[in-house]
Structure formats: C-alpha cells, structure tokens
Amino acid sequence: MTARTSPESARDIPEATVARLPVYLRALVTLSEQGTGTCSSEELAVAAGVNSAKLRKDLSYLGSYGTRGVGYDVDYLRYQIAREIGVTQDWPVVIVGIGNLGQALANYSGFRSRGFRVVALLDADPARHEAVVAGIDVRPFDELERIAHDHSVAIGVIATPAVAAQDVADRMVACGITSILNFAPTVLNVPAEVDVRKVDLSIELQILAYHEQRKTQGAATA
Amino acid sequence: MTARTSPESARDIPEATVARLPVYLRALVTLSEQGTGTCSSEELAVAAGVNSAKLRKDLSYLGSYGTRGVGYDVDYLRYQIAREIGVTQDWPVVIVGIGNLGQALANYSGFRSRGFRVVALLDADPARHEAVVAGIDVRPFDELERIAHDHSVAIGVIATPAVAAQDVADRMVACGITSILNFAPTVLNVPAEVDVRKVDLSIELQILAYHEQRKTQGAATA
DNA sequence: AGGAGTTTGTGAACGCGAGAACAAACCGGA
DNA sequence: TCCGGTTTGTTCTCGCGTTCACAAACTCCT
C-alpha cells in the first residue's frame, strides 16, 4: 500500500502554495535574525508581501503550527517550512554553462545558505576549463556523467546559450537528473517524470513592457 | 473620452495570456528563421510548449489573425504579437547593481534584440566606476535622476544585494520609473501604480527541491 | 461548381486559487 | 473559575484560467 496517510503531513500541497513557501521561509529567517521570537499571521504576511488570509490558508496545508490568540513561533515555523520544502537536507547541484550568468549563479550565496551545494561547474568550451569560479574548477562538460553519479546529483542548472540547452538537458536526463532549472531561452523537451522550471530574463521585461505600454497609451492617444 | 473601443484590439488581455505571448513570439522568430512561412496552431503550440487549444484562445484575445483551414502567417502573427506586447518600440532600461548578475544582464543579448536598450549601468560602489561592461561605462548610482530624466527611462532593473534594494526602488519611483524588474531576494514596497516583477533564483531551486523530495520520499520510506 | 478535408475561433463546463468571514481556541486578569 | 480580547484554522463564495468540443470558414481536388 502506498503510504496512505504519511505520518508527517505532506499530503498534497497546492502548487501555488509551494511557490510561496520559500518566500515565507525567507521572511521568517529575517524575523529570526532581528530577534523576533513570535509573530502573527498579519506581521508575517506583511513581511512576505501577501494577504494574511492567504498566508494562514497556506500554512494550514502543512499542519497546525500556530497558537490561537498568540501567533507563530518564528524558529519553529521556520524549521517546519524548511523541512517541508526539503532544504534541511543537502542538495548537490551541477551548473552547466559558465558564461556571465553561470558565474553569477556559482557566486550566488543564496544557494549554499539554503541547502544547495554546487558540486561542479561544467562548460563545453575548453578555453574556460582553466578558470576557477567561486572556488570551484570549471570542468569539461563530458565529465557530467561521472560527477552526477559520484555525487548523486538530482538537480541540474542550465545556463548555456539556447542552441545547446536541449542537448545538455538530454544528457542530464540520461544521468538520472530529475529536476532542471533552465535559464536558456528555449523550450526543453524532457520525459514527464522530469521537472523543469524556466527562468527567462527577457520574458519578464516584455511583460513589464506590455503593461508600461498600456499605461502610457491613454496619454499618447489623447 | 477615454478610448472606449480602441481601433487596434487591446481590450483587456488576461494576465496569464500576457505572460505567454513572449513565448509565442520567440517560437515565431525561430520558425521564421527556419524559413517557415505558415504554421498551424498545433505546430506553434509544440514549439512553444503549450496546449494548442490554449494557444488558440490566447491568440483570439488579440484578434483573428489566422486563416481557417490554413493556419497562421508566421511573419504577420509575429509582428502582431510584437506590437501588442510593445517590443516594436524602443524601451530604455537602466540596470542598478553591477555585480556578477548585473554584468550578466548587461551582456545579455536577448534584451537588445527585443527592443530593450540599456542606457546606463549604475553602482553605489566607487571601485566599480572604473569598469566598462558590455561597452557601457559603470556610473555612480547618484546619476540615476539625471539619466532617468534625460532618457525618459520607464523600466528599471535591480540587481543589488537585498539590503540595498528597497532604497534603489524608492529612488527609481521618485524618478518616474513605473516598472521594476527585481532580482534582489527581498519584498519591495512601492506605490500601487508601479509594476514590480520578481525573479528569485533560489526560490526556483527550492520549488524543485520540494518536488524532488516528494519523488524520492516514497522509495526511501518503503 | 461542389464536396471532402483541414484548421481556426469560441461557447460551455470544470477545477483551482483568492479573499472574506466566522467559529474555535488560547491568554491574561479579576 | 469566568470573561474579554486576540489570533488561528477553516468554510464558503466568487472569479479566473484551462480544457473540451464543435460550428464556421477556408483550400484543394475533381
């Protein structure tokens, strides 16, 4: 029987809620560093930039970690969310494509502090194999299989040009990587069991441009 | 009278559709470069990684640009979407915070090719003011007001550390900037008329980690 | 010219997420 | 122990987005 009621919550959390949990977690870390021991849903909601009703509903999917009339214990809730997301454990990550963006990612401190450990930087260009970025040697892309196997890597980051991204993704999937964060501006084709999240810098700007155009349109047309 | 039925479509496009239009645009550019003159909704949907029914409904908000029994003229549809988004015009953009990420953004060719022109790179750190990134001088942050005014900048990009982000946002808003793309891992407080879009690298990884944990959980518990 | 085949555009049903509103539960003081 | 004040957890309703399914419209072939 397939774990019909797993002991520790984790039934099925709505996707929209999952996307907000890291935001709550960051807000809690900030509150904790400020020395706040307890906070209400209203305070935490303001810190996270959301509605307090939505926040409470989100947290209710994890369980009842608050106390009515009091609020939430900051450190306790912080741990519970971290455990739910899975950042209490250590996630080995490999980054492929060490251009400007890849280097920025490798240097980003927000990864390590949240349970992600960059175990390798790979690039197909031999000219980059001499480099050391963020204290890590840049290695040839061909070593992907060995590294992924040795470190049991489950998460891969693609920061290559668009043309190379699909090949990289195919190789990653073949290595047993089942979660991919894709910064290349292209649509990746992967098996259904592999999760892909896409971050496209120019798309975000275009969405802003659309709204900006609508704002100024009225004045210009008049 | 406030343009009650503007001649060229643009009634009110659902937010979810707006977010996908840039994806369609990129797929159309790719098809056009491959020499494809016409495509069906099914072909375009595959290229964009979406459902064909959704694609057709999205396009229907712009108008009837297809031909039944035939499909869409690639270049024509491409122009219509580009015009709707607003990338047929030129958008001056200022980037604040020229660390690793800011440099990556400045060098990103996807901006210029889509109508965005980086008019200035600003940084508060004097040590960076000697640098030239992507052919553009890095200038002191204090010049924001002058540059924003001289170039009529409406869109700003924040790539600073989290602690500086709110100050930068405040100054941007005071300059008349009404659209902000925020890469700093913090919640920005801005007036309602200012659009903010957030890109958080570590949040995306955390979402992947959550699903990854769920995948392996069953096997580990058994 | 007419019919078979193809593809768009849209009406309708369905499911998910957001927000309001409230009962249940807790704390502190008398 | 009881009561007022506070805050959580949850129910309910509403609106948006997705998907199905099909009529309308176009092309091509005979």
Side-chain angles (χ1 to χ4, degrees), chain A residues 38-117:
Chain A
T38 304
C39 71
S40 68
S41 64
E42 183 61 33
E43 292 173 83
L44 183 53
V46 169
V50 300
N51 185 300
S52 71
K54 180 153 56 179
L55 169 68
R56 286 200 301 276
K57 176 169 264 195
D58 283 341
L59 294 184
S60 76
Y61 290 114
L62 312 187
S64 287
Y65 295 136
T67 307
R68 300 178 191 220
V70 179
Y72 301 93
D73 182 284
V74 171
D75 288 329
Y76 180 60
L77 183 59
R78 170 185 170 179
Y79 172 75
Q80 292 300 337
I81 293 181
R83 188 181 51 78
E84 193 71 47
I85 299 176
V87 293
T88 48
Q89 52 182 286
D90 187 71
W91 293 102
V93 172
V94 57
I95 300 177
V96 178
I98 314 301
N100 282 295
L101 182 57
Q103 291 181 36
L105 295 171
N107 279 297
Y108 184 44
S109 62
F111 288 163
R112 168 155 306 203
S113 68
R114 284 175 184 81
F116 300 99
R117 186 164 43 90

Side-chain angles (χ1 to χ4, degrees), chain A residues 133-153:
Chain A
V133 176
I136 305 170
D137 281 357
V138 177
R139 305 293 306 169
F141 177 53
D142 287 334
E143 298 188 15
L144 175 65
E145 282 77 7
R146 181 184 62 75
I147 290 167
H149 180 266
D150 287 357
H151 294 84
S152 301
V153 176

Side-chain angles (χ1 to χ4, degrees), chain B residues 130-153:
Chain B
E130 302 298 320
V132 176
V133 177
I136 304 170
D137 280 357
V138 177
R139 307 292 306 168
F141 177 52
D142 287 334
E143 299 188 14
L144 175 65
E145 282 76 8
R146 182 183 62 74
I147 290 168
H149 180 264
D150 289 356
H151 294 84
S152 300
V153 177

Side-chain angles (χ1 to χ4, degrees), chain A residues 33 37 61 102 170 202:
Chain A
E33 286 170 353
Y61 290 114
D170 291 342
S202 84

Side-chain angles (χ1 to χ4, degrees), chain B residues 53-128:
Chain B
K54 180 152 56 179
L55 170 67
R56 286 200 301 277
K57 174 148 273 194
D58 283 342
L59 294 184
S60 77
Y61 290 114
L62 311 187
S64 288
Y65 294 136
T67 307
R68 299 179 189 217
V70 178
Y72 300 93
D73 182 285
V74 171
D75 288 329
Y76 181 60
L77 182 59
R78 169 185 168 179
Y79 172 75
Q80 293 299 338
I81 293 181
R83 186 180 54 78
E84 193 72 43
I85 299 177
V87 293
T88 49
Q89 53 182 284
D90 187 71
W91 292 101
V93 172
V94 58
I95 300 177
V96 178
I98 314 302
N100 282 294
L101 183 57
Q103 292 181 37
L105 295 171
N107 279 295
Y108 184 44
S109 61
F111 289 163
R112 170 156 302 205
S113 69
R114 284 177 184 81
F116 300 99
R117 186 164 42 91
V118 178
V119 297
L121 305 178
L122 305 180
D123 202 297
D125 183 0
R128 291 214 177 102

